[in-house]
Amino acid sequence: MNKNILFNNDESHIISVSRRTDIPRYYFNWFIDRMKAGYVVVRNPFNRKQIKRVSLTPDDVSALVFWTRLPSEKFIDDGLDYLIENNYNFAFLWTITGYGKPLENSRIELNRVIDSFQKVSSKIGAKKMVWRYDPIIITDKYSCGWHIKNFENISNLLQGFTDRVIISSMTEYSSVVRRMKNLGIKYRQQPLKYEQTGEMLRTLVHIAGNNNQTIQSCCQEGKLESYGISDGACIDTEWLSSIFDIFIPYEKDRGQRTGCVCTKSIDIGAYDTCPSGCVYCYAVKNHRNAERFYRDFDCNSEGLFL
């Protein structure tokens, strides 16, 4: 056995699947194989020599939290059944923004995304489905008025299929700023912190409320509370404890960015592996490298690395 492999000693842990890449969409077969094997190997993104073996058995996993834009049909048709039959607790953080090009290059029709969201929600319950309208980017094309109409359309379609929506602004990582500049996209920096967006935010709260959806913000450090939007966690122990009727203690995830109040979890994904091509994605520095990784990846790998 590789002497560099460390064993995770947590008795029970939350598995994040994944902030770093869309595993339900692109790496579903690999993920299910790892679930059947009962473990996954995770490489430290900041120290490639350090890898950790993490248990994926139902007894060791308190919850699986899936981050996705659109799970594969096989995941929806077969994966959910596998997880249910093997007594896993799982829930979704599902991004639906409706931007399209140039901000999002992956060909995802909104109707298809909504249909899939509704299908999964009908199977596992609306409380296990969180909609992420994230990030909010304001440009000449995507104005405050555009966001109000777009948000209302999506919110109406998701009525009864979720009761929570998370919003945030784009984090200006250097790779993201460079891509925006190269494409000639002029955007308002930190748009949610400007008073000019207040009317838009209040309107979003009203729209969501009409559809029995509560809005919370991500990493805004309380700056939106005056608009009726509280800061909250994405990986939230209160939410997870409630929907699974178990107690999951809170422990701040110190590996996340400033302002994040998520609880500690183990992310089994990897950076530069998602081929979607979203301009604003912080998890991919080079889209060509991500496309190459996806093309060359061996599903028999113990971890999400070549």
Side-chain angles (χ1 to χ4, degrees):
M1 180 172 290
N2 191 322
K3 64 181 181 180
N4 292 319
I5 294 181
L6 304 175
F7 283 80
N8 179 69
N9 295 319
D10 294 346
E11 293 183 1
S12 183
H13 41 257
I14 298 170
I15 300 294
S16 171
V17 195
S18 156
R19 282 184 175 93
R20 301 168 183 166
T21 191
D22 195 336
I23 289 175
R25 185 177 183 192
Y26 295 110
Y27 300 102
F28 162 72
N29 290 328
W30 168 81
F31 171 74
I32 290 298
D33 284 347
R34 298 322 310 154
M35 297 297 288
K36 291 178 179 178
Y39 73 95
V40 65
V41 173
V42 180
R43 173 176 280 162
N44 184 333
F46 307 107
N47 181 358
R48 293 178 59 83
K49 293 182 178 180
Q50 185 183 83
I51 55 179
K52 179 168 62 176
R53 189 180 191 273
V54 178
S55 173
L56 294 178
T57 65
D59 289 341
D60 291 334
V61 175
S62 54
L64 295 158
V65 179
F66 293 104
W67 307 67
T68 190
R69 301 187 68 88
L70 179 65
S72 69
E73 288 298 322
K74 190 173 181 182
F75 181 96
I76 295 173
D77 293 338
D78 301 330
L80 298 183
D81 288 338
Y82 175 85
L83 296 172
I84 293 169
E85 290 167 3
N86 287 276
N87 300 313
Y88 284 98
N89 295 323
F90 63 95
F92 283 83
L93 296 167
W94 193 311
T95 298
I96 308 177
T97 54
Y99 284 123
K101 291 185 176 183
L103 292 179
E104 297 168 351
N105 292 312
S106 180
R107 294 180 180 178
I108 304 179
E109 294 181 359
L110 181 60
N111 288 341
R112 182 184 172 196
V113 178
I114 296 297
D115 287 345
S116 295
F117 191 105
Q118 293 174 344
K119 185 176 181 179
V120 175
S121 178
S122 297
K123 192 163 190 173
I124 70 173
K127 291 190 175 298
K128 296 178 183 178
M129 305 288 290
V130 174
W131 165 34
R132 293 183 62 89
Y133 190 73
D134 167 38
I136 292 178
I137 301 173
I138 297 177
T139 69
D140 289 342
K141 179 178 180 180
Y142 304 112
S143 64
C144 289
W146 181 91
H147 278 290
I148 289 172
K149 292 179 181 178
N150 185 56
F151 183 92
E152 183 172 30
N153 178 48
I154 298 171
S155 178
N156 289 345
L157 292 169
L158 296 183
Q159 183 181 23
F161 296 98
T162 183
D163 61 6
R164 181 186 300 196
V165 53
I166 297 173
I167 66 170
S168 75
S169 57
M170 182 185 74
T171 301
E172 296 178 58
Y173 293 97
S174 59
S175 58
V176 173
V177 172
R178 184 178 63 252
R179 286 196 293 264
M180 300 283 273
K181 183 178 180 180
N182 289 343
L183 290 170
I185 300 173
K186 296 181 180 180
Y187 62 95
R188 180 180 294 176
Q189 295 180 324
Q190 298 300 312
L192 303 190
K193 297 179 182 180
Y194 284 78
E195 182 60 35
Q196 295 95 312
T197 62
E199 182 179 351
M200 177 193 75
L201 294 171
R202 293 187 186 95
T203 303
L204 299 190
V205 172
H206 178 73
I207 292 168
N210 285 342
N211 289 322
N212 297 315
Q213 298 157 355
T214 300
I215 294 187
Q216 70 178 63
S217 64
C218 169
C219 293
Q220 299 303 308
E221 300 180 272
K223 294 181 176 66
L224 306 186
E225 290 185 355
S226 61
Y227 307 118
I229 303 173
S230 298
D231 245 7
C234 299
I235 299 186
D236 181 351
T237 53
E238 290 188 13
W239 169 52
L240 296 173
S241 295
S242 174
I243 60 177
F244 300 130
D245 196 25
I246 58 176
F247 174 68
I248 302 176
Y250 176 78
E251 182 180 355
K252 182 175 175 57
D253 192 337
R254 302 189 182 282
Q256 301 305 318
R257 56 184 167 160
T258 302
C260 178
V261 294
C262 285
T263 195
K264 182 180 178 182
S265 63
I266 300 174
D267 198 298
I268 65 171
Y271 295 115
D272 282 315
T273 61
C274 183
S276 286
C278 298
V279 174
Y280 50 76
C281 180
Y282 71 90
V284 175
K285 290 185 178 180
N286 186 302
H287 286 148
R288 289 185 179 179
N289 288 345
E291 291 169 358
R292 188 179 302 116
F293 180 95
Y294 177 62
R295 183 191 64 220
D296 296 341
F297 180 67
D298 180 1
C299 282
N300 294 315
S301 174
E302 291 182 308
L304 203 60
F305 44 81
L306 298 176

